[in-house]
Structure formats: C-alpha cells, structure tokens
Amino acid sequence: MHRGRVDEDAVVIEVDGHAVSARRGDSVAVALLTAGISTLRHSPRLRAPRGIFCFMGSCQECLVVINGKRRLACEVLIESGMSVRTTELP
Amino acid sequence: MNSRVELAVLGAGPAGVAAALAASECNVSVLILDRSASAGGQVYRRPTWPLEDQQLKQWPDEVKGERLREQLRSSAVSCRFGRAVWSVERGFRIDTVGPEGLETWEAERLLVASGTTERVIPFPGWTLPGVMGLAAATALLKSQRVLPGQRPVVAGSGPLLWAVASGIVAGGGMPAAVIDLADTRRWVSSLPALLSRPTDLLKGLGWMHSVRRKQVPVISSAAVRKVWREGTSLVVEVIERNRDGTLRRESQERRLSADALCIGHGLLPATEVTRLLGADHVFDAQAGGWKPVIDDQQRTSIPGLFAAGDCTGITGAEAAQLEGRLAGLAVAHETGRITDKMYQMKTQSLRRHTLRVSRAGASMAALMMPAESFIDDIPGDTVVCRCEDVTCAEVQAALAAGATGLNQIKSWTRCGMGPCQGRVCGDTVAAIASRHLGGRTAVGTWSPRVPLVPLPMNDLVGAFTYHDIAIPKAAPL
C-alpha cells in the first residue's frame, strides 16, 4: 500500500511504558493496530476486552489516555514523544 | 461567542460541502463544522498519504474528494474542522468541542448533513478486539492505507462488503473468505435500478471481479454465527441461511481462521441533531430506519432547519451532493439572495436529476438491509449494548416485564445509556422490541440527550481550579 516516505515520518511514542514506533500523520488507532496492540480497554460490567470498532468517533470503544487526557484513538494524530495509556480497569 | 452567520452546516461530507458552496456562491454567509480534520466525510475522507497522479485512476473517490476540498478552499465558506457538535438549540445555537476547547456558534439557518452510522447486528464474539465494522475497514484502507488484517474474513451485506474485500486484495492482503448475506437473486433483483447508474454498476462488478480473480472463497446467502479467539487468531463460524433470512438448520457450519473480521449490515441515517431539535421523523426501513421528514426543498418541519444527504435516508454520496446543492439554493432563496425565477431555473432540472440518482442509491441501500428474522437468531447471552454490556436476554426480559418502548428499555436495563448514546445498539434493540410491540413506529427512538458526544469534564470547566470557586459567607444564624 502507498504510505508515502517512511523515514521522514517515523517517530517513537510511548504506550503503557513501552517505546513503540509510529508514523506522523497516522491516527493513534492506526499506530496501535500496526504495532499489534488490539486490546485498548475492558468493558465496565463484564470486563471483556475491547478494541477499535467503528473508526469514526461514534462507538467510543477506542478510548485511551493520550498525554493525560481521555481521547478517542481514532481521532488523534500521532506526534513525536506522545504518551498513550490504554484504559484498562484495575 | 462567534459572529452570527446566515447558514451553519453540520457535516463536511458531500451533502454539507455542496450545500455550503451553493449557498456561498449566492453570497449567503456560511459556516461549516465537522469533527474530522478536513472535509470529505467518510466517503471522500482525505488520505494521510496522497496518491501519485498515475495511481489516482484506480481511486476515483480520491479525485472527487480532492476536487471537493479544493472548491471549499477557494470559496468564501468559513470552515472549522476538528469540532464535534455536543449541543444544538433552536434559533440556532451550536456548541462544539475541539482544538480550541468549547466554542459556541450562532446561525439563522441550520443544515444538518450528518451522514450515517453503520449497522452491525450482534452475534457472539462481536465485541472482541479484531472485529470491526465494514465502514471502519473502508476508512483504514482509503485514508490510512492500512489493511485491517492480512487474512481477514469480510462479512455482511451491500456494496461495502465488496469494496472492503477488493481493497484488501489491492493492498496485498488475502481475505480468508467473503461471507455475503445476500444471494445472487437479491443482487439480480436490484439490477434494473443499478442499470440506470452504469458507472456504479461497473465499479461494483470490478470489485467482485478482483476478489474472485484472487480465488478468495465467496460464501453467498450465509452469515457469521459466532466468533472466538484461539491464540492469536479469530475463529469465525459461518452458517448458511434460507432466502427469507432464517437459519438453514440442516446446513453444516464452516469454521474459518482469520486475523480480523470486518462485518457490517448496512447504514443508518444519523438523526441525533434533527431529533434533538424536535423535527418530525418517520420510520422507513428501506431508507435505513428513522429519517427526518423533508419537503422538496430539503426543509424539515422546523422553520430554518434543513437536512440533506444520507442523514435523510440512505441514497449514497452522489445523491447526497445533489440534495446538498438543492438545500443550499433553497437557503439562498429564503434569504432573498436569488429571485423566485432564478431559483426555479437553477433547481428545475437539478431536482429531476436528484430524484433519479437517489432512486438508484436507495435500491442499493435496500440491498444492504438484512431480513428482519435475523434479529430472532441473536442468542440470549449475546451483548447487544456494547457500552453497558447489556445482553439480548436482558432486553427481552424488559419487554416481557411490560416495557412499552425504547426509552423504557433504556431506563430499566441501561441499554443505550453509555457513551455512544445508543448509536451502536439502537437499531438492534428497536428491532427486537418491534417483534413484541408491533412495529418500529410503536417502539419509537431513544430520546436524544445533550451532550451528543462525551464531553471530558476538563474541557467543560476549562482552567478552573479549586480556588476559583466562589464560596459565599455562611448566613448568620
């Protein structure tokens, strides 16, 4: 697939304390998907794993904490040094 | 507070942009708001990695999207992207949350062009990570150029099914199978309508051809019965169905191993804003569900409130663009920017053309509609409301206990009360209830509630600290 020039846009972000390589221009959801991180949260009642579902800001399943704020991973674009915390319940 | 405009447009997809441009060309002051970072909507979503010229021929939607964005850039329309609308009041006042935090906008007229949400009928395992909507897969392929998986199962109904499958093939993936809910007869029955749109027909046949040429297994008249995880793979169980949509009991179930499942059962008009404002709506199964009642000038029952595109019934991008233009011209006419004669001249043939295109689009939408009996096969322990983990059995129990409509089911079970505001489960729950209550009109819709999107408390209170709270002196005893 045509994804532009890889080297120029490569950045490193931090996901749950681990360094993950990502690309500027991608959404956080895409970065997580390509890094193989599919479980982003657990449902409140059954504690079942959840991940990206609608990709257009409607289902709210990809809610994560980005730089300390609750955001939808599908709506936020990658920036260098970004910190992402998947919102697993204790 | 921002200065008041004559027309605010919610949604920068094909309908919204066409309306904004048409009104703006007639010197109406126009503001367009969208939650995405750029115009195009879902169908013409701006790609992160624009294609080189020679590759564009394969992706006509990308060319259309670029043209749309270029027209908008060179117009007088004021664009505010990255804004999600969380409240709308009559009059009209629009509240958004976005990069500048909370903002308020005022407009004399409002056009809702909010598009659609995807319908996915629940089945055991549909909440697992790795299961996503066909619309989600389309967004991944089109705008991010990422495969939803290397060997995903692609399942469901309608044109999106084939668009996704062929997109995966084009991107170098190999779908484990395509599971088409429709049988050949249903596709053939929609041929007459499709023949009036030869380009769409060719596009669809091209998708199917590219998938079959790769020898991707295609199972027609079949549905995903359940999915579960085994190690790093998803196991997808497929079962054949009869023509009326009921399960073929004698059929052997097939199991497929995949790394993802992309599934969708058609599109639903997004009516949160028009319902919030109290416009009249009507249930139209063929159009995708509830839709606002509009006249031939795209006017709703509320003065000054217009609606255009798929949020008024699913008819596709091309019809949406024409409807948008009609709405924009109607606003220009209402505000006195064009004379009666001019308005008649500009809209006469446009209206005929719109009607023709929407009829073809509507028949495609009808093809996406799953049979009603589909709903009866959802096992009791399947979660239907993803936000609140409410199962089908719990909804059935509420109905057995005498729930008289959608909102009572919501109050009793929390179904539809979560952060997605019932956008994902609403249609399913209403369809289940409809079997008990005798039709969708009797079931009704969720009462729309503000905020229309989840609003982080931080954004709402801004930079306030504890010390900013004014504490009045205690009253003397």
Side-chain angles (χ1 to χ4, degrees), chain A residues 30-52:
Chain A
V30 165
L32 295 170
L33 183 80
T34 48
I37 302 164
S38 59
T39 299
L40 304 185
R41 50 184 285 264
H42 284 80
S43 64
R45 191 170 160 211
L46 300 174
R47 303 280 161 109
R50 296 291 172 82
I52 295 156

Side-chain angles (χ1 to χ4, degrees), chain A residues 1-3 9 23-27 30 38-39 43-46 49-50 53-58 60-61 75, chain B residues 35 42 45 48-50 52 127 129 131-133 135-136 140 144-146 171 386-387 389 394 420 423 454:
Chain A
M1 295 220 118
H2 178 82
R3 302 251 299 149
D9 302 311
R23 295 191 52 191
R24 230 191 308 262
D26 277 343
S27 67
V30 165
S38 59
T39 299
S43 64
R45 191 170 160 211
L46 300 174
R50 296 291 172 82
F53 184 65
C54 85
F55 239 105
M56 51 186 74
S58 161
Q60 311 291 321
E61 291 280 28
E75 290 197 325
Chain B
R35 69 184 297 162
Q42 294 304 329
R45 220 186 228 239
T48 315
W49 323 104
E52 317 285 336
T127 57
V131 179
M132 67 177 80
L140 270 177
Q144 310 264 0
R145 306 206 198 289
V146 169
R386 298 171 66 107
C387 295
D389 282 328
E394 287 170 297
C420 93
R423 283 176 177 86

